[in-house]
Amino acid sequence: MNLILLGPPGAGKGTQAQYLIERYGIPQISTGDMLRAAVKAGTPMGVKAKECMASGALVPDEVVIGIVKDRLQEPDCGKGFILDGFPRTVAQADALQGCLDQLGRGLDGVIALQVDEDALVERLTGRRSCPACGLGYHIKFDPPTVADTCRCGTGLVQRDDDREETIRKRLQVYREQTMPLIEYYQQAESLIVVDGMLEIETVRDDIQAALQAG
Ligand code: AP5
Ligand code: MG
Ligand code: ZN
Protein backbone atom coordinates (compact mmCIF):
# COMPACT_ATOMS: atom_id res chain seq x y z
CA MET A 1 0.00 0.00 0.00
CA ASN A 2 1.66 3.22 -1.19
CA LEU A 3 -0.04 6.25 0.35
CA ILE A 4 0.24 10.01 0.70
CA LEU A 5 -1.37 11.91 3.58
CA LEU A 6 -2.10 15.41 2.35
CA GLY A 7 -3.55 18.18 4.48
CA PRO A 8 -2.86 21.46 6.24
CA PRO A 9 -0.86 21.75 9.47
CA GLY A 10 -2.90 20.13 12.24
CA ALA A 11 -5.20 18.20 9.90
CA GLY A 12 -4.32 14.91 11.59
CA LYS A 13 -1.71 13.47 9.19
CA GLY A 14 0.54 12.20 11.98
CA THR A 15 -2.43 10.96 14.03
CA GLN A 16 -3.89 8.96 11.14
CA ALA A 17 -0.47 7.69 10.04
CA GLN A 18 -0.24 5.83 13.37
CA TYR A 19 -3.35 3.81 12.52
CA LEU A 20 -2.18 3.09 8.97
CA ILE A 21 1.19 1.82 10.25
CA GLU A 22 -0.62 -0.70 12.46
CA ARG A 23 -3.20 -1.65 9.88
CA TYR A 24 -0.89 -2.22 6.89
CA GLY A 25 2.48 -2.79 8.54
CA ILE A 26 4.12 -0.08 6.44
CA PRO A 27 6.39 2.75 7.64
CA GLN A 28 5.45 6.41 8.01
CA ILE A 29 7.76 8.78 6.17
CA SER A 30 7.27 12.15 7.83
CA THR A 31 9.59 14.79 6.39
CA GLY A 32 8.71 17.04 9.35
CA ASP A 33 9.82 14.39 11.86
CA MET A 34 13.00 13.68 9.89
CA LEU A 35 13.86 17.37 9.66
CA ARG A 36 13.19 17.89 13.39
CA ALA A 37 15.53 14.97 14.16
CA ALA A 38 18.21 16.55 11.93
CA VAL A 39 17.81 19.92 13.68
CA LYS A 40 18.10 18.25 17.08
CA ALA A 41 21.20 16.31 16.03
CA GLY A 42 22.75 19.46 14.53
CA THR A 43 23.59 17.80 11.19
CA PRO A 44 24.46 20.10 8.22
CA MET A 45 20.94 19.53 6.85
CA GLY A 46 19.45 20.36 10.24
CA VAL A 47 21.43 23.58 10.42
CA LYS A 48 20.07 24.55 6.99
CA ALA A 49 16.48 23.62 7.84
CA LYS A 50 16.28 25.13 11.33
CA GLU A 51 15.51 28.74 10.40
CA CYS A 52 12.91 27.86 7.74
CA MET A 53 11.06 25.60 10.15
CA ALA A 54 11.13 28.07 13.03
CA SER A 55 9.57 30.75 10.82
CA GLY A 56 6.91 28.41 9.40
CA ALA A 57 8.34 28.49 5.88
CA LEU A 58 9.12 25.43 3.77
CA VAL A 59 12.59 23.91 3.65
CA PRO A 60 14.04 24.05 0.09
CA ASP A 61 12.65 21.41 -2.29
CA GLU A 62 16.03 19.83 -3.09
CA VAL A 63 16.67 19.12 0.60
CA VAL A 64 13.40 17.26 1.23
CA ILE A 65 13.38 15.53 -2.16
CA GLY A 66 16.83 14.12 -1.35
CA ILE A 67 15.67 12.75 2.02
CA VAL A 68 12.56 11.09 0.60
CA LYS A 69 14.35 9.53 -2.38
CA ASP A 70 16.86 7.87 -0.05
CA ARG A 71 14.21 6.79 2.42
CA LEU A 72 11.96 5.16 -0.21
CA GLN A 73 14.78 2.84 -1.19
CA GLU A 74 15.22 1.38 2.27
CA PRO A 75 14.08 -2.24 2.65
CA ASP A 76 11.20 -1.52 5.04
CA CYS A 77 9.42 0.38 2.25
CA GLY A 78 9.18 -2.83 0.21
CA LYS A 79 5.60 -3.48 1.31
CA GLY A 80 4.60 0.16 0.98
CA PHE A 81 4.85 3.53 2.71
CA ILE A 82 2.84 6.40 4.15
CA LEU A 83 4.19 9.76 3.07
CA ASP A 84 3.21 12.34 5.72
CA GLY A 85 3.87 15.98 4.86
CA PHE A 86 5.48 15.22 1.50
CA PRO A 87 4.98 16.31 -1.25
CA ARG A 88 4.16 19.91 -0.34
CA THR A 89 4.92 21.69 -3.63
CA VAL A 90 4.29 20.82 -7.27
CA ALA A 91 8.07 20.44 -7.74
CA GLN A 92 8.12 17.84 -4.95
CA ALA A 93 5.14 16.00 -6.45
CA ASP A 94 6.86 15.87 -9.84
CA ALA A 95 10.09 14.61 -8.26
CA LEU A 96 8.16 11.92 -6.36
CA GLN A 97 6.49 10.79 -9.55
CA GLY A 98 9.90 10.48 -11.23
CA CYS A 99 11.26 8.51 -8.29
CA LEU A 100 8.28 6.11 -8.19
CA ASP A 101 8.49 5.58 -11.96
CA GLN A 102 12.16 4.67 -11.55
CA LEU A 103 11.32 2.21 -8.77
CA GLY A 104 8.47 0.78 -10.85
CA ARG A 105 5.86 1.65 -8.22
CA GLY A 106 2.59 3.55 -8.19
CA LEU A 107 0.36 5.29 -5.67
CA ASP A 108 -2.65 3.54 -4.15
CA GLY A 109 -4.17 6.70 -2.78
CA VAL A 110 -3.64 10.33 -1.84
CA ILE A 111 -5.71 10.99 1.27
CA ALA A 112 -6.66 14.66 1.54
CA LEU A 113 -7.79 15.58 5.06
CA GLN A 114 -10.08 18.62 5.08
CA VAL A 115 -10.31 20.72 8.25
CA ASP A 116 -11.49 24.32 8.90
CA GLU A 117 -8.85 26.87 9.77
CA ASP A 118 -10.22 27.73 13.24
CA ALA A 119 -10.16 24.06 14.18
CA LEU A 120 -6.56 23.77 12.92
CA VAL A 121 -5.41 26.59 15.20
CA GLU A 122 -7.13 25.00 18.22
CA ARG A 123 -5.61 21.61 17.42
CA LEU A 124 -2.08 22.95 17.00
CA THR A 125 -2.06 25.18 20.07
CA GLY A 126 -3.27 22.22 22.19
CA ARG A 127 -0.98 19.60 20.68
CA ARG A 128 1.64 17.90 22.84
CA SER A 129 4.07 15.17 21.85
CA CYS A 130 6.48 12.73 23.41
CA PRO A 131 10.17 13.53 22.80
CA ALA A 132 11.08 9.88 23.49
CA CYS A 133 8.64 7.74 21.45
CA GLY A 134 7.08 10.41 19.23
CA LEU A 135 3.45 9.70 20.18
CA GLY A 136 1.10 12.69 19.77
CA TYR A 137 -1.65 13.97 22.08
CA HIS A 138 -4.07 16.88 22.42
CA ILE A 139 -4.83 18.50 25.78
CA LYS A 140 -8.57 18.48 24.99
CA PHE A 141 -9.23 16.05 22.12
CA ASP A 142 -6.76 13.26 22.92
CA PRO A 143 -5.45 13.80 26.47
CA PRO A 144 -2.88 11.50 28.10
CA THR A 145 -4.10 9.35 31.01
CA VAL A 146 -1.59 11.00 33.36
CA ALA A 147 -1.44 14.79 32.85
CA ASP A 148 1.51 15.99 30.71
CA THR A 149 2.95 12.46 30.56
CA CYS A 150 3.23 9.99 27.68
CA ARG A 151 2.12 6.40 28.15
CA CYS A 152 5.83 5.52 27.94
CA GLY A 153 6.38 7.66 31.07
CA THR A 154 8.18 10.61 29.43
CA GLY A 155 7.08 14.22 29.98
CA LEU A 156 5.21 15.72 27.00
CA VAL A 157 6.48 18.79 25.13
CA GLN A 158 5.06 21.41 22.74
CA ARG A 159 6.54 21.89 19.26
CA ASP A 160 8.48 25.14 18.71
CA ASP A 161 6.40 26.02 15.64
CA ASP A 162 3.07 25.56 17.45
CA ARG A 163 2.88 29.20 18.56
CA GLU A 164 -0.08 31.08 17.11
CA GLU A 165 1.97 33.49 14.97
CA THR A 166 3.98 30.66 13.39
CA ILE A 167 0.82 28.60 12.94
CA ARG A 168 -0.75 31.44 10.88
CA LYS A 169 2.35 31.56 8.69
CA ARG A 170 2.29 27.77 8.18
CA LEU A 171 -1.37 27.93 7.17
CA GLN A 172 -0.61 30.68 4.65
CA VAL A 173 2.27 28.64 3.21
CA TYR A 174 -0.09 25.66 2.92
CA ARG A 175 -2.70 27.68 1.02
CA GLU A 176 -0.14 29.12 -1.39
CA GLN A 177 2.21 26.21 -2.02
CA THR A 178 0.52 22.95 -1.06
CA MET A 179 -3.18 23.40 -1.90
CA PRO A 180 -2.47 23.20 -5.66
CA LEU A 181 -1.61 19.52 -5.06
CA ILE A 182 -5.28 18.74 -4.45
CA GLU A 183 -5.99 19.60 -8.07
CA TYR A 184 -2.77 17.85 -9.13
CA TYR A 185 -3.83 14.52 -7.61
CA GLN A 186 -7.46 14.97 -8.60
CA GLN A 187 -6.28 14.97 -12.19
CA ALA A 188 -4.15 11.90 -11.54
CA GLU A 189 -7.36 10.28 -10.20
CA SER A 190 -5.72 9.13 -6.98
CA LEU A 191 -7.37 11.65 -4.63
CA ILE A 192 -9.45 10.45 -1.66
CA VAL A 193 -11.10 13.39 0.10
CA VAL A 194 -11.82 12.75 3.79
CA ASP A 195 -13.69 14.97 6.27
CA GLY A 196 -10.99 15.55 8.88
CA MET A 197 -13.35 17.55 11.14
CA LEU A 198 -14.90 14.37 12.53
CA GLU A 199 -13.62 12.53 15.59
CA ILE A 200 -10.23 10.84 15.34
CA GLU A 201 -11.67 7.29 15.25
CA THR A 202 -14.33 8.26 12.71
CA VAL A 203 -11.69 9.72 10.40
CA ARG A 204 -9.67 6.51 10.85
CA ASP A 205 -12.67 4.36 9.86
CA ASP A 206 -13.53 6.58 6.87
CA ILE A 207 -9.96 6.30 5.55
CA GLN A 208 -9.95 2.51 5.92
CA ALA A 209 -13.34 2.21 4.22
CA ALA A 210 -12.17 4.36 1.30
CA LEU A 211 -8.96 2.34 0.90
CA GLN A 212 -10.87 -0.95 0.97
CA ALA A 213 -13.37 0.31 -1.58
CA GLY A 214 -10.57 1.51 -3.88
P1 AP5 B 1 5.31 18.92 9.58
O1 AP5 B 1 5.90 18.28 10.75
O2 AP5 B 1 4.93 18.09 8.42
O3 AP5 B 1 4.06 19.76 10.08
P2 AP5 B 1 2.67 20.16 9.40
O4 AP5 B 1 2.42 19.78 8.01
O5 AP5 B 1 2.57 21.60 9.71
O6 AP5 B 1 1.65 19.27 10.11
P3 AP5 B 1 1.55 18.92 11.60
O7 AP5 B 1 2.52 17.86 11.95
O8 AP5 B 1 1.60 20.19 12.41
O9 AP5 B 1 0.04 18.40 11.67
P4 AP5 B 1 -0.57 16.95 11.42
O10 AP5 B 1 -1.43 17.02 10.23
O11 AP5 B 1 0.46 15.88 11.48
O12 AP5 B 1 -1.53 16.88 12.70
P5 AP5 B 1 -1.49 15.92 13.99
O13 AP5 B 1 -1.88 14.55 13.61
O14 AP5 B 1 -0.25 16.13 14.76
O15 AP5 B 1 6.26 20.06 9.04
C1 AP5 B 1 6.89 20.97 9.92
C2 AP5 B 1 7.83 21.89 9.15
O16 AP5 B 1 8.87 21.10 8.53
C3 AP5 B 1 7.20 22.67 7.99
O17 AP5 B 1 6.61 23.87 8.43
C4 AP5 B 1 8.42 22.89 7.09
O18 AP5 B 1 9.22 23.94 7.57
C5 AP5 B 1 9.19 21.60 7.22
N1 AP5 B 1 8.78 20.59 6.23
C6 AP5 B 1 8.22 19.38 6.48
N2 AP5 B 1 7.97 18.71 5.35
C7 AP5 B 1 8.38 19.51 4.33
C8 AP5 B 1 8.36 19.39 2.92
N3 AP5 B 1 7.86 18.30 2.32
N4 AP5 B 1 8.85 20.43 2.19
C9 AP5 B 1 9.36 21.53 2.79
N5 AP5 B 1 9.39 21.71 4.12
C10 AP5 B 1 8.91 20.71 4.90
O19 AP5 B 1 -2.74 16.56 14.79
C11 AP5 B 1 -2.65 17.86 15.35
C12 AP5 B 1 -3.34 17.87 16.74
O20 AP5 B 1 -4.75 17.68 16.55
C13 AP5 B 1 -2.89 16.75 17.68
O21 AP5 B 1 -2.85 17.25 18.97
C14 AP5 B 1 -3.98 15.68 17.54
O22 AP5 B 1 -4.16 14.94 18.74
C15 AP5 B 1 -5.23 16.51 17.23
N6 AP5 B 1 -6.15 15.84 16.31
C16 AP5 B 1 -5.85 15.08 15.22
N7 AP5 B 1 -6.97 14.66 14.60
C17 AP5 B 1 -8.01 15.18 15.29
C18 AP5 B 1 -9.44 15.11 15.15
N8 AP5 B 1 -10.01 14.39 14.15
N9 AP5 B 1 -10.21 15.78 16.04
C19 AP5 B 1 -9.64 16.48 17.06
N10 AP5 B 1 -8.30 16.58 17.25
C20 AP5 B 1 -7.49 15.95 16.38
MG1 MG C 1 2.58 15.83 11.68
ZN1 ZN D 1 6.34 8.36 24.73
Side-chain angles (χ1 to χ4, degrees):
M1 190 64 90
N2 304 335
L3 301 171
I4 294 177
L5 280 167
L6 185 64
K13 303 182 295 293
T15 304
Q16 295 302 329
Q18 293 309 312
Y19 294 120
L20 292 165
I21 293 171
E22 278 174 36
R23 165 91 198 193
Y24 296 105
I26 51 177
Q28 168 195 23
I29 304 178
S30 161
T31 41
D33 287 349
M34 291 158 96
L35 289 166
R36 275 185 291 279
V39 170
K40 202 170 160 196
T43 66
M45 185 178 75
V47 172
K48 254 197 254 173
K50 190 175 179 177
E51 222 172 288
C52 301
M53 295 178 78
S55 72
L58 293 183
V59 171
D61 283 335
E62 61 273 17
V63 175
V64 277
I65 289 169
I67 316 182
V68 172
K69 270 193 180 164
D70 290 347
R71 185 67 186 83
L72 283 173
Q73 289 172 57
E74 283 177 34
D76 65 334
C77 292
K79 266 170 61 186
F81 52 80
I82 308 152
L83 283 167
D84 161 1
F86 181 95
R88 259 174 146 96
T89 62
V90 171
Q92 291 179 22
D94 285 339
L96 174 66
Q97 196 51 55
C99 179
L100 292 177
D101 286 348
Q102 239 173 23
L103 296 169
R105 308 179 67 165
L107 285 171
D108 296 293
V110 178
I111 300 156
L113 294 168
Q114 301 212 311
V115 179
D116 296 349
E117 222 159 269
D118 288 345
L120 294 172
V121 175
E122 191 183 10
R123 286 185 187 184
L124 291 172
T125 47
R127 171 166 59 186
R128 300 292 181 273
S129 58
C130 174
C133 74
L135 214 61
Y137 296 87
H138 191 280
I139 51 172
K140 188 166 145 196
F141 305 125
D142 187 15
T145 319
V146 181
D148 301 321
T149 311
C150 181
R151 66 180 185 207
C152 79
T154 310
L156 298 176
V157 296
Q158 190 168 16
R159 247 168 67 175
D160 290 341
D161 58 351
D162 279 348
R163 285 172 295 115
E164 182 142 358
E165 191 192 306
T166 318
I167 292 171
R168 298 276 173 205
K169 168 74 181 170
R170 286 159 62 202
L171 292 171
Q172 182 199 344
V173 167
Y174 173 79
R175 281 193 301 270
E176 291 172 0
Q177 303 195 53
T178 310
M179 262 194 12
L181 294 184
I182 302 227
E183 174 93 25
Y184 183 103
Y185 286 114
Q186 207 156 30
Q187 279 177 8
E189 291 177 12
S190 40
L191 196 73
I192 301 168
V193 178
V194 173
D195 183 356
M197 290 292 286
L198 304 173
E199 284 188 18
I200 293 175
E201 287 76 17
T202 312
V203 177
R204 174 199 64 195
D205 294 345
D206 288 351
I207 291 174
Q208 290 188 358
L211 290 174
Q212 265 160 16

